[in-house]
Amino acid sequence: MDNLATRTDTGWRLPALPNLHSHAFQRAMAGMAERRTDPADSFWTWRETMYRFAGRMTPETMQAVAAQLYVEMLEAGYGSVCEFQYVHHQPDGTPYDDPAAMSLALVEAARETGIRMTLLPVLYMTGGFDGRPLGERQARFGHDVERYLRLLEQLRALEAPDLQAGACFHSLRAVPEPAMREVLAAIPESMPVHIHIAEQIGEVQDSLALRDARPVEWLYDNFDVDARWALVHATHLTEEETRRIAASKATVVLCPTTEANLGDGLFPLRDYLDAGGRWGIGSDSHISVSPVEELRWLEYGQRLMTRRRNIAVGASESVGETLLQGALADKPAITGIDSSGDWIELDPKTPTLAGATTDLVDRWIFSGNRNAVDTVQVGGQRLVVEGRHRNRDAIAARYQAAIHQLLA
Ligand SMILES: [Zn+2]
């Protein structure tokens, strides 16, 4: 394996990381669903808080929240983001005058911060595997296929090296099979396709009950899943499903801090690595915005589960390097973005990196909590210098105002 880190005159240089899964608006509610409301608190009770926030977003607050989030991502070492955007319409479900208003708010937030974006407008049609209509609080999310394809077309017209569009199904429970087929037939063959899958046991049970197959099993039985597919979470897998995903060259998008926060479960990482599977990371709900924490907890979850150490090895005997290599490799098929010239630099004066040599990446991923990212360059632009994004203060002030508005 090539050395991932190179020493320059000013620091340790590494490729910028891709963040493969984000719902930007959820940054506004991070830390606000941590009180017990019900002894059986679960993903589904968290979702109630999420719906309340989704219900209050406007294009203006969406941009303010997303810009703050993207500043935090860049300062943490992410250079690009896949934005899984499902809050499309006004609260009663009426489209905005410009039906892309919410998506365009995210595009503006990306532009003002300099992060590269794969914009994934989400198709969301039903409230469950049984095809029930969307609930009242899901009215902002819904499209029929025709209007969805029109939105996708509108966003594709904006494509540039730092902005790509992709297709996105919310989940198997939210998009009926014929609609998936229609969308896939209408989009270019190389366009990325993202979907949430097998995140919750309840979802696996519903799929078994109504389709007589587990979600990943059903997807692979019915669709030609290949390298342009990003399967978000894929937490609950059989050995056979694990092997099928790996063989298809699809990417599993793991979001360890969100999956821990929501009590989802643990992905079978060792089996998947043994099968040669592709994977990457996302910060999803933004309970944490740090590639260090995602990669650290990806490994720690496995250690806690197996009561062993040093699970994620393969690309190297170093866990940190194997994790970082996985998070960086093979992403253009699912992002549409070439970020090969983007880099970050770690500050060599960070105490936890003192005297680092070949163990640099392990030290970065596993020691301490101080952010070591000093400089971030994306698309030739120096966006973060001395740990601070160039527009940090103005964007933070606008974010404060937006939060007060959302909580009022
Ligand atoms: Zn998600």
Side-chain angles (χ1 to χ4, degrees):
M1 186 181 71
D2 297 339
N3 273 338
L4 285 168
T6 50
R7 188 71 163 91
T8 71
D9 291 343
T10 47
W12 289 100
R13 189 171 290 193
L14 299 156
L17 281 110
N19 187 333
L20 300 177
H21 191 60
S22 165
H23 310 285
F25 81 91
Q26 292 179 15
R27 172 64 186 80
M29 58 167 283
M32 294 186 197
E34 309 302 321
R35 300 175 74 89
R36 181 183 280 196
T37 53
D38 174 337
D41 257 347
S42 68
F43 172 85
W44 309 102
T45 52
W46 169 87
R47 198 172 71 157
E48 293 301 307
T49 308
M50 185 270 282
Y51 280 164
R52 277 205 301 283
F53 268 84
R56 305 206 70 173
M57 285 283 157
T58 63
E60 292 71 32
T61 51
M62 181 69 101
Q63 184 178 340
V65 170
Q68 173 65 25
L69 172 67
Y70 300 157
V71 163
E72 291 171 5
M73 284 187 190
L74 287 160
E75 290 182 351
Y78 292 117
S80 62
V81 59
C82 293
E83 193 53 64
F84 199 107
Q85 144 58 8
Y86 60 88
V87 184
H88 297 294
H89 311 306
Q90 299 180 56
D92 67 355
T94 311
Y96 286 100
D97 291 344
D98 182 343
M102 283 295 207
S103 296
L104 295 175
L106 295 172
V107 171
E108 280 310 307
R111 283 188 180 144
E112 63 179 313
T113 56
I115 201 165
R116 293 185 199 266
M117 174 181 279
T118 306
L119 183 56
L120 304 161
V122 173
L123 179 60
Y124 201 133
M125 300 177 74
T126 55
F129 279 101
D130 55 4
R132 78 187 84 137
L134 296 181
E136 207 177 305
R137 288 169 312 162
Q138 297 167 320
R140 306 194 78 172
F141 312 158
H143 278 106
D144 58 30
V145 171
E146 192 194 326
R147 285 194 307 151
Y148 175 74
L149 289 173
R150 230 181 293 144
L151 172 64
L152 193 54
E153 203 51 40
Q154 185 180 346
L155 298 174
R156 277 188 72 204
L158 303 174
E159 284 189 333
D162 58 357
L163 176 67
Q164 294 289 304
C168 191
F169 305 120
H170 179 272
S171 55
L172 294 180
R173 69 176 185 272
V175 186
E177 180 186 348
M180 288 177 66
R181 293 201 185 284
E182 234 180 293
V183 170
L184 291 169
I187 62 174
E189 259 177 40
S190 61
M191 182 179 260
V193 179
H194 290 228
I195 185 169
H196 287 134
I197 198 154
E199 176 179 11
Q200 290 287 321
I201 292 283
E203 179 191 343
V204 176
Q205 288 166 341
D206 286 354
S207 180
L208 278 166
L210 285 144
R211 295 188 176 172
D212 201 25
R214 303 165 56 85
V216 168
E217 180 186 18
W218 184 88
L219 183 71
Y220 277 79
D221 284 349
N222 287 282
F223 289 90
D224 190 12
V225 181
D226 59 16
R228 67 173 170 155
W229 284 73
L231 308 184
V232 182
H233 304 302
T235 308
H236 302 288
L237 301 179
T238 62
E239 283 176 26
E240 176 66 15
E241 287 174 316
T242 307
R243 278 194 299 272
R244 286 177 90 175
I245 299 177
S248 74
K249 299 199 164 16
T251 295
V252 169
V253 179
L254 300 165
C255 310
T257 64
T258 293
E259 289 155 7
N261 185 267
L262 297 177
D264 287 348
L266 288 164
F267 176 78
L269 182 67
R270 188 62 259 169
D271 289 350
Y272 189 65
L273 294 178
D274 288 340
R278 296 180 175 190
W279 62 274
I281 53 167
S283 59
D284 192 0
S285 71
H286 315 303
I287 192 68
S288 170
V289 184
S290 158
V292 165
E293 210 179 6
E294 298 304 338
L295 295 176
R296 185 183 291 183
W297 277 99
L298 178 57
E299 169 71 13
Y300 280 174
Q302 304 293 315
R303 291 189 190 187
L304 289 165
M305 181 169 63
T306 58
R307 301 194 294 273
R308 300 176 71 97
R309 300 186 69 250
N310 302 334
I311 311 293
V313 294
S316 139
E317 288 306 308
S318 149
V319 176
E321 286 182 15
T322 301
L323 290 170
L324 191 60
Q325 176 73 14
L328 290 167
D330 303 319
K331 300 305 177 285
I334 57 160
T335 63
I337 280 177
D338 174 9
S339 58
S340 52
D342 301 342
W343 52 260
I344 65 175
E345 249 177 34
L346 306 184
D347 178 0
K349 296 190 295 299
T350 305
T352 51
L353 303 183
T357 55
T358 52
D359 58 357
L360 183 274
V361 176
D362 286 327
R363 299 246 214 130
W364 181 43
I365 301 299
F366 288 102
S367 67
N369 291 299
R370 193 185 294 183
N371 183 6
V373 176
D374 179 84
T375 311
V376 177
Q377 178 159 314
V378 174
Q381 301 269 344
R382 214 51 77 87
L383 301 176
V384 174
V385 175
E386 293 180 356
R388 293 178 67 85
H389 186 274
R390 56 190 186 183
N391 297 333
R392 181 203 266 190
D393 294 338
I395 286 171
R398 191 181 52 177
Y399 175 75
Q400 292 274 349
I403 291 296
H404 287 295
Q405 200 179 322
L406 288 165
L407 294 175

